[in-house]
Amino acid sequence: MKPYKGHAVRTLARGAAVAGLTVALAVPATAAVAVARAAAIPPGLSCDTGKHAIDDYTGYALCRNNGSATQTFWVHLVCGWSPDVDGEHVTLRPGESGQSTAHCAGLGTGIGEIHVRP
């Protein structure tokens, strides 16, 4: 039995609809995992932030106190679908360096943003 012309048109239309739906669903998922730039670092501190080399769910802030007063800071991770987390509070005297780390839950999408909080 030979397929008729209407069958081919319906098949092409169905394929186009599935492809369009796939693209529409992919856009929000891609947007949810984008990593944003870190927020401004508190005055008097110079900090490097990032993800752990072998664990995308662990983030850090390594800071040096360049000011003239003692400062306390901690890392804050925005964890996508999991709750946000804060690292340990680190107190630095002038000239000292220290690191705060935190870990996002494994059920989420990982680290979306890394902030240094005073």
Side-chain angles (χ1 to χ4, degrees):
M1 179 184 224
K2 209 172 178 188
Y4 61 96
K5 188 175 181 179
H7 182 339
V9 171
R10 276 197 305 266
T11 301
L12 287 174
R14 187 179 310 123
V18 169
L21 180 59
T22 302
V23 171
L25 291 175
V27 171
T30 303
V33 295
V35 176
R37 288 187 41 187
I41 295 171
L45 293 176
S46 60
C47 301
D48 290 319
T49 61
K51 293 180 185 178
H52 190 277
I54 57 172
D55 180 6
D56 284 339
Y57 289 85
T58 299
Y60 67 87
L62 176 60
C63 297
R64 176 176 173 78
N65 183 351
N66 294 324
S68 58
T70 300
Q71 293 202 48
T72 300
F73 76 96
W74 62 93
V75 68
H76 174 80
L77 304 180
V78 177
C79 295
W81 296 337
S82 296
D84 297 350
V85 292
D86 289 330
E88 65 277 2
H89 291 212
V90 178
T91 300
L92 303 175
R93 293 189 298 254
E96 289 185 330
S97 297
Q99 179 173 307
S100 175
T101 60
H103 186 81
C104 291
L107 299 175
T109 56
I111 299 171
E113 295 178 22
I114 301 174
H115 301 274
V116 178
R117 298 281 169 91

